[in-house]
Amino acid sequence: MSSSTPSRFDRGHTDDLMSFLAAGPTPYHAVAAAAERLEKAGFRQVLETDAWDGTSGGKYVLRGGAIVAWYVPEGTAPHTPFRIVGAHTDSPNLRVKPQPDMGAHGWRQVAVEIYGGPLLNSWLDRDLGLAGRLSLRDGTTRLVNIDRPLLRVPQLAIHMDRSIHEKGLQLDKQRHMQPIWGLGDVTDEGDLISFLEEELGLAAGEVTGWDLMTHALEAPAYLGRDRELVAGPRMDNLLSVHACTAALAAVSASPELPYIPVLAAFDHEENGSQADSGADGPLLGNVLERSVFARGGTYEDKARAFAGTVCLSSDTGHAVHPNYAERHDPTHHPRVNGGPILKVNVNQRYATDGSGRAVFAAACEKAGVPWQTFVSNNAMPCGTTIGPITAARHGIRTVDIGVAILSMHSARELCGAEDPYLLANALVSFLTD
């Protein structure tokens, strides 16, 4: 890397990732943790309801479970292109319903709805906490995190389903996934919310709305003989959010930048991104446009800036699985600790094309980072990301990348211990090229 490029990330980045995963049980907590790191790097929050000025420096906007942050170097022209690193903050889980109090046969339960596409079996017989955002009667919001064993989805004993090994585990999302959280009859509607009010020291009836979800309590940990692996929750996709945040904070100390570096971390990717805080909403476009106009730019300047902009959409991908190698494309076997992956799909489930490949390859080469390519087996449906949405909605050249992991969409996923900092180094190179 050039002398003007920030210092390389190392194993300490992975240590910090583990802290970030633990601090982000919900998208709301994740963006708060990202904002805290940016504040330490000199960024300041701006409100969408305020008038923006054209001053230089680092700024960020929070909207629900999304954050967009950017750094404007001194003297930057209004038509200067952006370099965007994108990710998403949400993960599949169990989310509390509007009327949460339920129970049967002396068990008190919490009514939950399935969010995204979780591996349901990974949530069974696991101690769960409860976290999210509470909306109060005065119009304010409060984050809540009950980070202790509170809930559990108990599995049926083998003695009551002797054929399970022959027919396989079959879970009904409505009947089998409602967690227990105590004993007794449900006599009063509002027990769960009353409990949360007490936990936060709020008056009874002060909470009028909630966005609550469960999270697994087991802490992230190094795994393996040589601690070369990391096991933890929500790697899809807080691993990328953390790397993008660290890269933006690092490049903001660079003396000269040819682009305006941007972090865009959206909510609701796991269910289609169609939300005001999702990639298919107006948030990113509004922020970029207002940044141009605040610096005295015109529509022509905005068009020029967007035309020269490139986005790296970073999301986790699939490492080759030793027990299911036939599920992968026979010529594309990404390995953990092999460096970040370039994700390609000619049907535009990923936005990468040949020119995007060249951009990513150049960034990795400059950073001294190895990289790999992921393509789905033709017989397996391909997932998608914020990449195609960003490209189509804003007319921005977008490249899909990420880190190869195992157990994607499990309550606890697995990655290589080196890949997080290799990704962060590649992102720094991209933002400073």
Side-chain angles (χ1 to χ4, degrees), residues 44-56:
R44 63 181 177 87
Q45 183 179 3
V46 294
L47 301 179
E48 293 183 84
T49 53
D50 289 347
W52 292 5
D53 58 43
T55 56
S56 59

Side-chain angles (χ1 to χ4, degrees), residues 115-315:
Y115 178 84
L119 288 170
L120 295 179
N121 62 291
S122 70
W123 290 86
L124 301 178
D125 295 334
R126 205 179 271 278
D127 296 339
L128 304 175
L130 188 67
R133 178 180 66 176
L134 300 175
S135 298
L136 307 185
R137 190 171 297 280
D138 63 4
T140 62
T141 60
R142 288 276 298 273
L143 296 185
V144 60
N145 183 11
I146 311 301
D147 200 34
R148 66 176 188 270
L150 181 69
L151 304 138
R152 184 181 177 92
V153 183
Q155 189 169 192
L156 185 65
I158 185 69
H159 313 79
M160 296 185 175
D161 191 4
R162 296 285 186 180
S163 63
I164 189 171
H165 295 306
E166 289 74 38
K167 68 180 183 181
L169 179 62
Q170 299 177 11
L171 295 171
D172 183 287
K173 293 179 180 179
Q174 179 62 38
R175 292 186 296 123
H176 299 151
M177 297 305 298
Q178 309 304 320
I180 60 173
W181 76 303
L183 298 174
D185 297 324
V186 179
T187 56
D188 296 316
E189 184 177 321
D191 282 352
L192 179 66
I193 302 307
S194 295
F195 163 76
L196 296 177
E197 289 173 334
E198 292 174 3
E199 287 286 311
L200 292 181
L202 298 173
E206 196 167 346
V207 173
T208 56
W210 52 88
D211 302 281
L212 298 167
M213 56 204 76
T214 61
H215 63 277
L217 293 174
E218 189 176 359
Y222 285 107
L223 184 146
R225 183 190 64 183
D226 299 317
R227 292 163 53 89
E228 68 267 52
L229 302 169
V230 174
R234 300 177 293 280
M235 290 183 181
D236 178 16
N237 187 33
L238 293 190
L239 188 158
S240 294
V241 175
H242 177 258
C244 292
T245 303
L248 178 61
V251 303
S252 68
S254 301
E256 295 182 4
L257 291 171
Y259 307 100
I260 297 174
V262 179
L263 157 68
F266 302 102
D267 199 356
H268 296 298
E269 188 271 350
E270 296 292 356
N271 60 9
S273 293
Q274 292 184 322
D276 71 325
S277 56
D280 204 18
L283 178 59
L284 176 61
N286 286 350
V287 168
L288 299 184
E289 287 183 359
R290 292 183 69 177
S291 174
V292 171
F293 298 152
R295 286 178 282 119
T298 63
Y299 178 84
E300 184 71 11
D301 291 316
K302 175 250 182 180
R304 292 175 64 188
F306 276 43
T309 294
V310 184
C311 173
L312 288 190
S313 162
S314 182
D315 203 345

